[in-house]
Amino acid sequence: RVVQHTHNAVAITDADGVIAWVNAGFSRILGYDGDRVRGSSLLSYVSTHDSDQGTLRELLQQVQRGTAARGELRLRCQDGSNVWMDTELQPVLDAQGTVPGFMAIATDITQQKQAQLQMEAAMREASTLLATFEAHAIVSVTDRSGTITQVNDAFCAISGYSAEESLGANHRIVNSGTHPAAFWEAMWADIAAGQSWRADVCNRAKDGSLYWVDSIITPFVGDDGLVERYVSIRNDITPRK
């Protein structure tokens, strides 16, 4: 009676995974009529992706040994679509301790899985983009107060400061004094408000020489709405200047 009314999809099978009974949740989520699925294999409702087929076989092997098993599977709906299900298999033991069958309890996690996959794709894109910047631009990262937390090799090469000298220092170490105070006040007003800022900036290297960079500073805002860090991406334009 409990599993009849749960929102999860529940199936009771024999030891080989042949379905003996399903609840209304199984029919609602996957679209199959409960009477028509009896006698069919649970494996036939798993997507044809090798990873899903392999996962279910592993779960079946584990539950046939009398141990509960759990994994994420894509199940095929009657309309041909797939849903992601967090699936738990529980063995049903008889008086002799053998496993005549098991119960499959599956929770629909399609929305969470899609969000996870989108996040992973975004992280891959971000990593690729950052790697491109690292290879072709002068990059530094500061906290909200302007203390340097990260630099790449190009920053060290053009500024003359090693990574050890840069990290923990304020970004003013490369300030050349060329620009008036109003120039920096306008920059801080923009980036502190969460807006990107771009300008040609004259910096001073460790040896005292000046160099010009086309500089873009982008703030990263946290969940609390406050700026967590600033990422600066620059290109050397000294020859043009």
Side-chain angles (χ1 to χ4, degrees), residues 161 170-181 183-184 200-206 208-213:
Y161 291 98
N170 191 279
H171 218 287
R172 287 191 296 269
I173 61 171
V174 294
N175 190 333
S176 66
T178 302
H179 304 284
F183 178 86
W184 299 114
D200 292 350
V201 178
C202 182
N203 286 336
R204 185 182 302 277
K206 184 179 179 180
S209 62
L210 300 180
Y211 62 93
W212 283 85
V213 287

Side-chain angles (χ1 to χ4, degrees), residues 78-238:
Q78 188 176 36
D79 62 8
S81 63
N82 289 331
V83 291
W84 277 99
M85 305 293 283
D86 181 3
T87 306
E88 181 177 356
L89 304 186
Q90 288 285 350
V92 178
L93 303 178
D94 59 18
Q96 290 72 41
T98 59
V99 183
F102 60 87
M103 180 184 294
I105 306 169
T107 304
D108 187 354
I109 56 169
T110 303
Q111 291 185 346
Q112 300 96 303
K113 197 68 177 180
Q114 289 174 343
Q116 175 189 336
L117 294 174
Q118 290 173 355
M119 178 65 72
E120 291 173 354
M123 292 295 290
R124 287 194 299 270
E125 292 177 3
S127 296
T128 301
L129 186 60
L130 287 174
T132 301
F133 287 143
E134 286 280 345
H136 300 287
I138 303 161
V139 180
S140 63
V141 181
T142 75
D143 63 16
R144 67 183 65 176
S145 65
T147 300
I148 298 172
T149 59
Q150 182 179 338
V151 293
N152 69 343
D153 292 342
F155 177 92
C156 297
I158 197 169
S159 70
Y161 291 98
S162 67
E164 291 75 15
E165 292 173 312
S166 303
L167 299 180
N170 191 279
H171 218 287
R172 287 191 296 269
I173 61 171
V174 294
N175 190 333
S176 66
T178 302
H179 304 284
F183 178 86
W184 299 114
E185 290 170 359
M187 178 204 73
W188 277 108
D190 284 347
I191 64 176
Q195 302 174 16
S196 294
W197 176 87
R198 181 174 185 176
D200 292 350
V201 178
C202 182
N203 286 336
R204 185 182 302 277
K206 184 179 179 180
D207 63 7
S209 62
L210 300 180
Y211 62 93
W212 283 85
V213 287
D214 173 13
S215 181
I216 301 174
I217 302 177
T218 299
F220 279 66
V221 179
D223 294 336
D224 57 1
L226 300 177
V227 173
E228 290 183 345
R229 62 188 184 278
Y230 300 106
V231 177
S232 301
I233 302 167
R234 309 175 190 82
N235 290 304
D236 184 7
I237 57 171
T238 305

